[in-house]
Amino acid sequence: MATNQLDDTTLAELREIAARYPEARSGLLPMLHLVQSAQGRITPEGIEACAAILDISPAEVSGVATFYTMYKRHGVGDYHVGVCTNTLCAVMGGDEIFARLKEHLEIGNDEVAVQRQGDSRTVSLEHIECNAACDYAPVVMVNWEFMDNQTPESAVQMVEALRAGHEVSSTRGPRLCTWREAERVLAGFPDGRVDEGPTAGEASLAGLRIARERGWTAPDPAQTPAVEAKESEA
Amino acid sequence: MSAPEIEKSDLVTVTIDGVQVSVPKDTLVIRAAEQIGVQVPRFCDHPLLAPVGACRQCLVDVPDAGNGRGFPKPQASCTLPVADGMVVSTQVTSPVADKAQQGVMELLLINHPLDCPVCDKGGECPLQNQAMSNGRGESRFSDDRNRGVKRTFPKPINLSPTVLLDRERCIVCQRCTRFADEIAGDPFIALIERGAQQQIGIAEDAPFLSYFSGNVIQICPVGALTSEQYRFRSRPFDLVSTPGVAEHDACGSAIRVDHRRGKVLRRQAGDDPAVNEEWITDKDRFAFAYAQADDRLTYPQVRDEDGTLRPASWPEAFAVAARGLAAARDAGGVGVLTGGRVTVEDAYAYAKFARATLGTNDIDFRARPLSGEEADFLAAHVVLTGPDLGAVTYDDLESAAKVVLVGLEPEDEAGAIFLRLRKSVLAGGTEVVAVAPYTTRGLEKLSARLVPTLPGDEAAALTALGSELDAATVVLAGERLATVPGALTAAAAVAATTGARLAWVPRRAGDRGALEAGCLPTLLPGGRPVADATARVDLATAWGVGSLPEAPGRDADAILAALAAGELGGLVVGGVDPDDTADPAVTRAALGAAAFVVAFDLRRTEVTDSADVVFPVAPTSDKSGTFVNWEGRVRPWEAALRNPASLPELRALSGIAAELAALGVGAPLGFRTVEEARAEMEQIGPWDGPRATTTDNSVTTTDNSATTTDNSATTTDNSATTTDNSALRLATWKQLLDNGSMQDGDKYLKATARTPVALVSAALYDAYGPTVTLTGDRGSVTLPAEIADDLVDGAVWVPANSVGNGVLADLASPGSTVTISGAEGVHG
Amino acid sequence: MSTLTPVLSDTWDAEQGWKLSTYAARGGYDALDAAFAMSPDDVITAVKDSGLRGRGGAGFPTGMKWSFIPQDNPKPKYLVVNADESEPGTCKDIPLMMGNPHVLVEGVIISSYAIRANKAFIYIRGEVVHVIRRVQAAVAEAYAAGHLGKDIHGSGYDLDVVVHAGAGAYICGEETALLEGLEGRRGQPRLRPPFPAVAGLYASPTVINNVESIASVPAIVKNGAAWFASMGTEKSKGHGIFSLSGHVARPGQYEAPLGITLRELLDLAGGGRAGHQLKFWTPGGSSTPLLTAEHLDVPLDFEGVGAVGSMLGTRALQIFDETVCVVRAVLRWTEFYKHESCGKCTPCREGTWWLVQALTRLEHGQGSEADLDQLLDQCDNILGRSFCALGDGATSPISSSIAHFRDEYLAHLTHGGCPFDPARSTAWAGREVTA
């Protein structure tokens, strides 16, 4: 895709983001998410637009854009697949899943798989750090939505479904949207999918289920033993 | 000016390595340690930058924080302020601190390339030095057992045309990014990437263009930042480093001239806390190749009867010059134009030569637009003032509550003033107010409040400001006000009525010294007024001459006009560029019409080409000399290079004076060397009698016939945003980097100059842009246009010497107006 | 014997538990009215008296942190919620925000009221889009219902909340690095002093608290400090979410009083994998020194875990059985720290670079026992010498694993590589696998 200037709508939305904060510069992280949504990646034009709106130098914006791992300077697929290979998920099978996907997609880390004839969508692959779902290990994220409890086989099936353009849902979230659409949500523009998916996945409910089975609750406030007012902890 | 006495109660007593030392409150432990001779190793720490504690090299053990409890882990001494009763153990007495420091040093060296043999910094490298003093001899990372793999980067990359970066060498101390952001206000380099891949970077197509970028090379503690100009050219142990004074502006910045075998290889900032701290502009740092240009004059020249200029020996040249000047003197008189780049000693020689030898007061150092009002102002308010006598100093800029800039753009015209003002503004407590046509980049970086003023209206604007000025205000008036009738007078008046303090900031290094040395038609050396008979007698006595000419002389414009008209016969001229003068055409006519011209210059110019006798003069590196900066501070230096054929002007003037005296004309100069000149000036001393007072210049100027100051064509009605073709007032000044001849010879520096543009209002841009042609009484200039958002209505700004022969030659006379029209795109 | 005490997780099994209607039907936002009936200082006192300690790992008393805000400082005060959950093994805040975002929102309002902040920010790591949707929606619902905005519940108190997405940096979980990210800068930690309570966000007085800490506030206000203090141990009061992951039959979130032991939790969670034994575990994420089967009965509170040389941290209990190679696990964590090192300070930036190379060689069986000691020496030059705790965290797995499992490291050297079979530790090990 040729590099191009941001359109007026996007520029207006960038300003809108900056205006949410007491100091405009605070908007930079969500603004860069919007740039990714609009342009498919972090572009020099995007950097310059943010710099101009925030009245800081493009070098300072580049510093921010290159610090955080979600900002991509090269394109990603419609579906960006992240396999957690931090210790717990790796041990639980993440390493095997990542190896299998690399082999299956014929790409290395942080690359986009070739779009074959018949693929209506593209997929990219990256190994990622802990995504705070360790009780669902091994975890794969697709456009930063949870795909819990994966195996090499389920992961391959998933990417094939994605490439074929089938509707795929998060294991405890919404139908998956594209990477650019997800970036827009991160920029602070809701997309209406909030009510899809359950309140909590099964693992999250593990403790609660046991408490329900055994009739365990938090103490009844009415029955709290009287204690003398004591000094707060030094 | 003495620092305020430090109260005993402001001192804090700490014990470092068993030694008690008392230091002011808020002193950092690393500084306190230096006071007792303990050098804690460090990289990111720099006394002029806010502490960051990033490199961790300066870790020390603190067994007692001053409250009876120790810190459980070593502390960075560069971020830890002293506390009363604190006990600190550095690497000298604490094995824990020593191991921690060695550990950090070892870690710094694991990814650092073994580039020393090819790295500019080798030999003057804090990493090398501190690795020797506080590190291990062997690497555990790169040895056979560990076989560590270093991270590498392709190298080097250009951060700008002048500054190169070897990313592998960088230890991410962030001194460069902190300098660029905090001190210069040019955050065009930033940390990019993360972790071990972290590096200094620029945005795409946005090089590190800053007037002060070279300073990062000097403060980089490793060889990561180098200059194109100096890369691979020398080893520091081959260099002799001689202290000097920057010759590019009137700031008097301390520099170091590093030379080897008779050639200057690089220049660095000198450390002078009272003046430029440790910073200099890129022009000061890189612009010295002009002295080694191909057209450098190395021998005297004399014009034969057939009209050709041919080499001559010094004695012959003295003789020919003397004969010609004697004849010219008889035929009407000789004028002396010294130029503003002379040293004090040379200026004194010119001044004495004019009075005691030629018998005239027709002398002026001002090789640019001027006025009689200015001469009166200088005589009454500027000459003889100095830091010891209460004049405004750099430190005063920091303590002033308000600084008013009028006719002065400090980032372009006086870099050290700009940096000091910015420092003060960032610290809080100083407001900068600018009487100017628009908010420049420099003014923006000073958070300056703009008083939008059309060129020519500065007097009224200043007077109107009067109500908000007081004794805590400093007014800095630039030399451009010379061509604004009433402006300098208004500045003096406002200062007098409000108690604000006033300082004059000229553009050239020699201007102030030439004033003190008597290179004005109305002032003799030492500030003695020509009009004061006692002063004349005082000086004549000291010089051992009978009398001195008593009629005030002609100023530079009058000298040139008189030459052109045939009223003056001869001219003695130093480094003057006709395109800088108020009317270049008249200047050239004067040179052509003059019967006899003796020229002094560093390089061949059109002036030397038209002279009858030409003398080469030494650049500042080849001679001892003195400049007086805008504060009135005396800044002497000793010669860095020894070149017997490279002599100061005073030597030639002395030779000519001797020949003239032999012909019975005037007195010999009385000195032949810089040392002798200094001694004589010391002996003569400053005038202690009554100063000159200004004549009433509030309404009109004295007649400066060479310039038309007719501004009547424009009214002060700026209510409409003019899009019609009526006259616009021309705002202009020289940018720091432009076509100035003293910037010749360094292509890298030239490539960092700002693109010349015409600044116009949005309405004018829409009507005539993107390329415009401006037409004035001297011609037309076509430039790309840019919008200056707050440009005062009715004005246009162009750089004074970035295009063609400059504004005065190609476009418009001082203080005049121009018209604007659209043009075909000429520039990119 | 501890029982589980669902408080924050109590609504997770409700239909559409994230919606205001669900939360309100169970008494949601009643605590807010209770808070408004108190003075802000009394709310602070209640939180102090409850004994609530920061649930983000450090365990600093929350009420005391709030009391550090100088109320006479003329600058605006800010509350910032640290929802950057990225510590390996930690996975409690994500389901909390996904399932019950309103308890966080209500907690934000009460906490902001207490410290007299009129603007609050929720900084959520960017890699959890659906969580961000749920919190954004909860905030919008709260505005619509009059729980946020001007003159909330007619109290005269105004509060605005901004939900802010991060962009991928573990270091932004460090409070001053988080402030940098919130100010639109690179997430590099700041010098302290000044502390955030005095000069935090925009150089103004700021409280930064973990999601779970703030979410615990409404129940404290509604049920009383004594109620909260009736749970937990003497110096570690209250309930906490314990996250069990790895080789355990029923991994998941277990909300219990502080002081419960791993043995008790494993018992509730169905024990380890059948036929396997617990080998090592982390009490509070990868940055806390490893513990072993020796420590099954250690009370999981701040003092108990501290007494055995580790830290309670975020109660991120990653369980590894005997099929797992410690060296492999530690190497992978070290690669994590190297990847996440912000680069500001030498020991962490260069140190993690070297630690990974050294550990990789050891994992491949190269080197000698002297290299183990050198590795410990490298850790000694990083621990306590770096600018922030990331450097310290990087050394914890290494030094604690060598202390407990030196022989396993040596076995790699004699074996010429890793003697373990990674296939045996996977989630599907021993199961039939369909093609």
Side-chain angles (χ1 to χ4, degrees):
Chain A
M1 174 188 324
T3 55
N4 46 21
Q5 298 301 320
L6 279 66
D7 63 30
D8 287 340
T9 312
T10 309
L11 291 173
E13 286 178 333
L14 286 173
R15 287 191 197 96
E16 186 191 321
I17 295 171
R20 293 180 197 147
Y21 299 85
E23 293 190 11
R25 188 173 171 162
S26 286
L28 183 54
L29 269 67
M31 284 161 75
L32 288 171
H33 281 303
L34 187 67
V35 167
Q36 297 209 124
S37 176
Q39 308 225 290
R41 62 187 177 94
I42 298 291
T43 57
E45 291 82 1
I47 288 175
E48 278 158 30
C50 290
I53 290 171
L54 297 176
D55 199 23
I56 57 181
S57 71
E60 292 174 292
V61 175
S62 296
V64 173
T66 55
F67 183 84
Y68 298 93
T69 53
M70 289 179 82
Y71 296 135
K72 303 294 182 194
R73 271 157 285 163
H74 52 77
V76 296
D78 296 312
Y79 296 102
H80 185 61
V81 176
V83 180
C84 176
T85 55
N86 201 302
T87 296
L88 189 104
C89 277
V91 156
M92 298 290 282
D95 277 353
E96 237 187 270
I97 295 171
F98 186 64
R100 180 74 69 85
L101 283 177
K102 272 198 292 189
E103 185 198 326
H104 177 82
L105 295 170
E106 296 176 335
I107 53 177
N109 182 47
D110 210 14
E111 293 177 0
V112 184
V114 165
Q115 185 170 15
R116 308 159 300 190
Q117 222 180 26
D119 286 347
S120 56
R121 294 290 199 186
T122 56
V123 152
S124 50
L125 178 68
E126 164 173 54
H127 64 74
I128 60 174
E129 301 292 358
C130 180
N131 221 95
C134 317
D135 44 352
Y136 294 92
V139 171
V140 171
M141 304 296 289
V142 178
N143 293 344
W144 310 114
E145 300 284 8
F146 290 106
M147 302 299 290
D148 306 305
N149 302 109
Q150 292 298 308
T151 67
E153 292 69 37
S154 68
V156 167
Q157 278 166 22
M158 177 190 74
V159 299
E160 284 308 307
L162 290 171
R163 288 164 112 186
H166 298 157
E167 190 176 85
V168 175
S169 288
S170 158
T171 46
R172 56 185 157 118
R175 296 160 294 144
L176 296 181
C177 58
T178 67
W179 182 82
R180 289 172 73 160
E181 287 166 343
E183 284 291 314
R184 194 172 159 78
V185 174
L186 293 171
F189 298 99
D191 65 353
R193 296 191 188 208
V194 62
D195 291 334
E196 294 179 29
T199 306
E202 273 312 302
S204 311
L205 295 168
L208 188 60
R209 295 248 189 266
I210 291 170
R212 300 289 191 237
E213 274 169 33
R214 306 204 192 183
W216 287 344
T217 62
D220 179 356
Q223 312 243 332
T224 304
V227 282
E228 308 92 67
K230 58 178 187 285
E231 297 299 321
S232 39
E233 300 281 27
Chain B
M1 283 210 23
S2 57
E5 289 296 322
I6 299 198
E7 301 265 336
K8 267 260 155 46
S9 57
D10 286 347
L11 293 180
V12 163
T13 304
V14 301
T15 307
I16 301 178
D17 294 330
V19 177
Q20 260 203 0
V21 59
S22 292
V23 291
K25 198 165 82 77
D26 295 336
T27 302
L28 298 166
V29 168
I30 196 172
R31 300 273 92 76
E34 286 164 355
Q35 305 243 347
I36 60 159
V38 171
Q39 191 78 354
V40 178
R42 83 293 295 270
F43 295 103
C44 70
D45 167 74
H46 190 287
L48 296 175
L49 299 172
V52 287
C55 72
R56 316 309 284 172
Q57 184 61 64
C58 67
L59 293 173
V60 296
D61 206 12
V62 185
D64 186 341
N67 56 3
R69 298 201 296 266
F71 281 100
K73 46 187 194 175
Q75 298 296 304
S77 53
C78 72
T79 54
L80 183 65
V82 296
D84 214 40
M86 184 181 266
V87 175
V88 175
S89 304
T90 72
Q91 73 277 7
V92 174
T93 55
S94 163
V96 168
D98 188 41
K99 179 171 196 283
Q101 290 175 14
Q102 289 211 9
V104 172
M105 180 64 70
E106 179 178 35
L107 289 169
L108 272 178
L109 291 172
I110 65 169
N111 275 319
H112 191 83
L114 199 51
D115 273 5
C116 297
V118 300
C119 173
D120 281 359
K121 207 81 177 179
E124 56 181 12
C125 176
L127 180 61
Q128 273 184 342
N129 298 345
Q130 291 176 125
M132 299 286 287
S133 60
N134 299 90
R136 304 163 163 270
E138 309 271 325
S139 168
R140 293 188 298 180
F141 179 78
S142 332
D143 61 12
D144 280 338
R145 238 180 55 204
N146 288 267
R147 309 216 190 128
V149 176
K150 291 181 190 275
R151 63 105 181 80
T152 57
F153 294 108
K155 56 189 239 158
I157 58 173
N158 276 83
L159 293 179
S160 76
T162 47
V163 180
L164 294 164
L165 170 66
D166 285 78
R167 289 172 287 176
E168 295 164 344
R169 299 177 187 167
C170 175
I171 57 169
V172 207
C173 71
Q174 301 172 54
R175 278 186 179 185
C176 57
T177 50
R178 287 147 65 203
F179 170 82
D181 185 30
E182 288 168 35
I183 309 291
D186 296 326
F188 309 134
I189 46 173
L191 288 175
I192 60 172
E193 307 293 345
R194 191 171 82 190
Q197 296 298 323
Q198 190 170 235
Q199 56 195 267
I200 305 298
I202 52 176
E204 204 176 289
D205 296 332
F208 178 35
L209 293 177
S210 161
Y211 282 162
F212 307 98
S213 64
N215 289 294
V216 303
I217 298 168
Q218 190 168 346
I219 58 173
C220 177
V222 299
L225 292 168
T226 55
S227 79
E228 282 274 19
Q229 181 259 317
Y230 177 69
R231 191 172 168 90
F232 297 145
R233 296 193 67 200
S234 180
R235 279 294 177 203
F237 32 86
D238 289 341
L239 295 173
V240 176
S241 185
T242 305
V245 179
E247 76 278 35
H248 289 291
D249 59 25
C251 288
S253 297
I255 58 172
R256 302 205 60 90
V257 179
D258 293 350
H259 53 98
R260 178 187 69 186
R261 299 196 286 275
K263 193 163 176 208
V264 175
L265 290 179
R266 74 167 176 193
R267 304 213 307 202
Q268 304 211 81
D271 181 12
D272 194 334
V275 177
N276 57 307
E277 300 192 289
E278 274 189 65
W279 320 121
I280 52 176
T281 66
D282 281 3
K283 188 157 72 173
D284 289 339
R285 184 179 300 274
F286 296 123
F288 58 86
Y290 67 90
Q292 290 145 16
D294 288 340
D295 54 8
R296 167 96 180 261
L297 296 170
T298 52
Y299 45 78
Q301 295 170 295
V302 157
R303 194 174 297 280
D304 265 341
E305 282 84 34
D306 68 359
T308 52
L309 210 47
R310 55 138 180 103
S313 68
W314 288 82
E316 182 188 359
F318 293 154
V320 172
R323 277 203 302 275
L325 288 175
R329 186 167 166 272
D330 291 338
V334 176
V336 180
L337 297 175
T338 69
R341 303 208 185 271
V342 283
T343 62
V344 174
E345 296 85 350
D346 288 331
Y348 176 68
Y350 277 114
K352 188 173 182 186
F353 184 80
R355 276 63 177 241
T357 306
L358 295 176
T360 178
N361 282 317
D362 290 346
I363 178 171
D364 201 338
F365 71 88
R366 298 171 296 171
R368 39 76 179 168
L370 53 97
S371 67
E373 178 189 0
E374 182 189 29
D376 289 346
F377 169 82
L378 295 176
H381 298 289
V382 179
V383 76
L384 292 176
T385 63
D388 294 340
L389 298 164
V392 176
T393 62
Y394 284 101
D395 285 348
D396 288 336
L397 298 179
E398 273 193 76
S399 55
K402 190 179 307 226
V403 175
V404 177
L405 303 170
V406 54
L408 176 67
E409 206 299 321
E411 206 199 9
D412 275 320
E413 301 182 292
I417 291 180
F418 168 78
L419 289 178
R420 197 68 85 97
L421 283 175
R422 182 171 155 84
K423 178 184 179 191
S424 188
V425 165
L426 289 179
T430 298
E431 186 198 8
V432 173
V433 179
V435 173
Y438 72 101
T439 302
T440 62
R441 249 194 67 74
L443 290 177
E444 205 181 303
K445 294 194 286 178
L446 296 173
S447 304
R449 169 160 62 97
L450 179 72
V451 176
T453 308
L454 277 172
D457 291 351
E458 286 87 347
L462 257 182
T463 311
L465 267 183
S467 55
E468 61 172 270
L469 308 186
D470 60 20
T473 307
V474 167
V475 177
L476 295 179
E479 78 173 30
R480 284 186 264 132
L481 294 184
T483 55
V484 178
L488 288 171
T489 310
V494 154
T497 51
T498 65
R501 301 169 64 205
L502 175 62
W504 178 69
V505 182
R507 277 194 51 89
R508 293 174 181 76
D511 282 338
R512 187 58 202 273
L515 172 66
E516 303 293 333
C519 294
L520 263 191
T522 50
L523 273 184
L524 299 168
R528 292 167 173 77
V530 166
D532 188 324
T534 324
R536 293 198 306 274
V537 166
D538 177 62
L539 188 60
T541 311
W543 281 350
V545 300
S547 65
L548 293 175
E550 62 178 71
R554 297 177 171 91
D555 64 23
D557 288 345
I559 289 172
L560 292 165
L563 282 167
E567 288 156 22
L568 269 179
L571 175 64
V572 172
V573 58
V576 173
D577 182 348
D579 289 330
D580 281 342
T581 56
D583 194 334
V586 166
T587 306
R588 292 186 168 92
L591 287 169
F596 195 80
V597 176
V598 179
F600 297 81
D601 217 322
L602 180 70
R603 297 161 62 190
R604 181 182 166 187
T605 65
E606 70 178 289
V607 174
T608 64
D609 276 353
S610 69
D612 296 287
V613 184
V614 178
F615 288 97
V617 303
T620 51
S621 54
D622 291 10
K623 63 186 174 187
S624 304
T626 306
F627 287 137
V628 178
N629 76 352
W630 66 273
E631 297 168 291
R633 188 186 299 262
V634 174
R635 309 287 280 162
W637 73 89
E638 298 308 307
L641 307 178
R642 302 236 161 273
N643 180 354
S646 187
L647 296 167
E649 272 133 297
L650 60 86
R651 179 67 189 87
L653 288 168
S654 166
I656 303 169
E659 290 291 324
L660 278 168
L663 291 174
V665 177
L669 213 53
F671 52 86
R672 286 161 38 120
T673 67
V674 171
E675 289 67 36
E676 289 169 359
R678 285 176 175 167
E680 184 172 308
M681 286 193 287
E682 175 91 16
Q683 210 190 6
I684 305 256
W687 176 235
D688 53 11
R691 304 275 298 271
T693 55
T694 45
T695 53
D696 176 16
N697 287 309
S698 54
V699 180
T700 55
T701 59
T702 54
D703 179 20
N704 296 316
S705 50
T707 61
T708 43
T709 51
D710 173 19
N711 294 317
S712 54
T714 51
T715 62
T716 48
D717 172 19
N718 299 313
S719 50
T721 48
T722 41
T723 58
D724 63 23
N725 229 334
S726 58
L728 298 165
R729 302 239 196 131
L730 182 65
T732 183
W733 58 80
K734 291 186 181 177
Q735 297 189 286
L736 183 85
L737 297 174
D738 61 11
N739 290 340
S741 61
M742 287 170 75
Q743 296 159 50
D744 286 344
D746 192 307
K747 62 180 181 186
Y748 306 114
L749 180 65
K750 280 225 183 274
T752 65
R754 292 180 184 169
T755 309
V757 294
L759 291 177
V760 297
S761 65
L764 285 176
Y765 185 90
D766 288 339
Y768 300 110
T771 309
V772 296
T773 296
L774 300 168
T775 305
D777 57 2
R778 291 189 182 159
S780 291
V781 167
T782 301
L783 281 170
E786 269 182 25
I787 299 174
D789 288 323
D790 59 0
L791 182 67
V792 63
D793 261 344
V796 61
W797 179 91
V798 296
N801 189 22
S802 301
V803 178
N805 296 312
V807 163
L808 289 169
D810 290 349
L811 180 58
S813 56
S816 66
T817 58
V818 298
T819 56
I820 184 172
S821 60
E824 286 306 305
V826 174
H827 303 268
Chain C
M1 174 66 187
S2 303
T3 65
L4 297 176
T5 53
V7 176
L8 304 176
S9 55
D10 199 37
T11 57
W12 292 2
D13 57 0
E15 277 297 305
Q16 299 208 314
W18 63 91
K19 295 194 86 61
L20 177 54
S21 48
T22 316
Y23 187 67
R26 295 174 182 228
Y29 291 99
D30 287 350
L32 184 51
D33 287 322
F36 284 146
M38 302 157 74
S39 73
D41 275 335
D42 284 346
V43 176
I44 295 180
T45 306
V47 172
K48 271 192 188 171
D49 289 347
S50 74
L52 172 65
R53 293 170 66 167
R55 294 290 191 252
F60 193 86
T62 306
M64 187 185 299
K65 188 187 265 196
W66 293 4
S67 70
F68 288 156
I69 296 290
Q71 290 299 338
D72 55 356
N73 185 311
K75 291 189 176 178
K77 324 285 178 291
Y78 296 106
L79 178 76
V80 175
V81 178
N82 184 341
D84 193 64
E85 186 167 67
S86 306
E87 174 75 27
T90 312
C91 47
K92 59 182 178 71
D93 297 332
I94 291 318
L96 194 160
M97 290 188 284
M98 191 91 85
N100 190 3
H102 276 285
V103 72
L104 173 62
V105 173
E106 189 179 13
V108 165
I109 306 168
I110 297 173
S111 308
S112 303
Y113 170 74
I115 65 168
R116 283 77 125 184
N118 299 110
K119 190 105 181 178
F121 299 85
I122 305 176
Y123 185 115
I124 309 179
R125 66 179 293 184
E127 301 100 318
V128 288
V129 173
H130 208 53
V131 167
I132 288 167
R133 284 197 189 91
R134 292 269 167 98
V135 177
Q136 282 171 348
V139 167
E141 281 186 307
Y143 269 106
H147 304 312
L148 281 174
K150 304 243 173 282
D151 193 22
I152 299 170
H153 293 200
S155 64
Y157 173 66
D158 304 338
L159 180 65
D160 277 318
V161 171
V162 174
V163 177
H164 178 102
Y170 162 69
I171 184 61
C172 283
E174 195 277 340
E175 67 175 13
T176 62
L178 189 150
L179 292 178
E180 288 288 288
L182 189 49
E183 290 189 7
R185 301 173 197 283
R186 294 162 64 81
Q188 300 195 305
R190 297 177 177 172
L191 267 184
R192 286 180 293 191
F195 289 87
V198 171
L201 186 64
Y202 314 134
S204 302
T206 306
V207 162
I208 303 119
N209 274 138
N210 170 262
V211 167
E212 192 184 351
S213 312
I214 297 295
S216 301
V217 169
I220 290 173
V221 166
K222 186 163 162 184
N223 300 336
W227 164 85
F228 187 84
S230 73
M231 293 174 273
T233 62
E234 192 199 326
K235 294 196 180 155
S236 299
K237 300 253 172 249
H239 52 79
I241 301 177
F242 291 79
S243 311
L244 276 166
S245 63
H247 292 147
V248 56
R250 286 189 289 277
Q253 308 306 313
Y254 292 77
E255 197 169 2
L258 296 194
I260 195 170
T261 67
L262 181 63
R263 190 187 298 279
E264 293 177 289
L265 285 166
L266 281 178
D267 204 53
L268 292 170
R273 297 190 296 173
H276 294 282
Q277 292 84 48
L278 170 65
K279 181 174 171 184
F280 64 98
W281 55 288
T282 65
S286 58
S287 301
T288 57
L290 302 177
L291 298 176
T292 64
E294 266 179 61
H295 306 102
L296 275 166
D297 296 303
V298 170
L300 294 175
D301 65 5
F302 292 103
E303 294 65 40
V305 182
V308 293
S310 188
M311 295 171 280
L312 183 63
T314 50
R315 286 149 279 116
L317 306 162
Q318 304 171 87
I319 310 297
F320 300 93
D321 67 26
E322 85 290 347
T323 62
V324 179
C325 171
V326 163
V327 181
R328 174 188 178 206
V330 168
L331 171 56
R332 191 59 58 84
W333 278 322
T334 312
E335 285 170 341
F336 163 74
Y337 290 108
K338 171 186 158 191
H339 184 216
E340 298 291 343
S341 170
C342 78
K344 177 172 188 163
C345 77
T346 308
C348 176
R349 179 185 74 242
E350 309 293 343
T352 54
W353 178 271
W354 193 3
L355 291 173
V356 166
Q357 291 194 22
L359 274 168
T360 306
R361 286 176 55 81
L362 288 170
E363 209 220 5
H364 287 125
Q366 294 157 354
S368 70
E369 185 164 6
D371 292 312
L372 269 190
D373 297 313
Q374 184 185 285
L375 191 53
L376 289 173
D377 190 46
Q378 285 158 243
C379 289
D380 194 47
N381 286 337
I382 298 167
L383 179 69
R385 278 86 178 119
S386 42
F387 191 92
C388 81
L390 197 154
D392 298 342
T395 63
S396 292
I398 298 174
S399 41
S400 62
S401 64
I402 293 178
H404 291 298
F405 299 101
R406 179 175 271 254
D407 286 341
E408 191 160 319
Y409 279 88
L410 294 176
H412 282 69
L413 297 175
T414 51
H415 193 262
C418 181
F420 289 82
D421 176 9
R424 297 190 60 220
S425 60
T426 62
W428 55 83
R431 283 193 310 198
E432 271 301 318
V433 169
T434 52

